[in-house]
Amino acid sequence: MSPAIFITAELIFVGLPFATVLYMAHRFFNVREKKLDVEARLVAEKAAQYAASNKELEQRVRVLEQIVTDSGVQTASQIEALRERSRITSKSVQES
């Protein structure tokens, strides 16, 4: 067997499968990287939603703290003012 035929045979029987495995591994890791990128974006979006929800809850707690620490007369008048505003708003919506 001549050296040229031997080298060609090695390239075909060893090099080609090796190159195929390398190509498949490269493709696999590219797909995996894209999948991780999508998951990271989803996690970031959920974190932003939780942050917004957290801010809303903090505002509610501040209002409750204010209600607890204020005198009863001021709190009652503020609650009545809010009720009147909601009645006016609901009437204007019903009339439209």
Side-chain angles (χ1 to χ4, degrees), residues 61-75 78:
V61 168
R62 282 189 198 113
V63 169
L64 290 174
E65 287 175 347
Q66 184 180 5
I67 290 171
V68 168
T69 58
D70 281 350
S71 67
V73 176
Q74 289 176 344
T75 304
Q78 289 175 350

Side-chain angles (χ1 to χ4, degrees), residues 5 14-15 28 31 39 48 81 87:
I5 293 176
V14 176
F28 172 77
V31 169
E39 289 176 0
R87 287 180 194 150

Side-chain angles (χ1 to χ4, degrees), residues 11-83:
L11 286 175
I12 292 173
F13 293 115
V14 176
L16 191 58
F18 183 72
T20 304
V21 169
L22 284 178
Y23 176 73
M24 290 172 57
H26 178 69
R27 295 279 300 187
F28 172 77
F29 287 117
N30 279 344
V31 169
R32 183 79 175 153
E33 184 179 358
K34 288 179 183 177
K35 182 179 177 183
L36 289 173
D37 186 40
V38 168
E39 289 176 0
R41 287 181 189 165
L42 290 174
V43 167
E45 183 178 331
K46 284 184 180 181
Q49 290 174 351
Y50 287 134
S53 175
N54 192 23
K55 286 181 182 179
E56 182 180 325
L57 290 174
E58 286 177 1
Q59 289 174 348
R60 289 181 177 187
V61 168
R62 282 189 198 113
V63 169
L64 290 174
E65 287 175 347
Q66 184 180 5
I67 290 171
V68 168
T69 58
D70 281 350
S71 67
V73 176
Q74 289 176 344
T75 304
S77 65
Q78 289 175 350
I79 291 172
E80 287 302 318
L82 290 172
R83 285 183 182 158

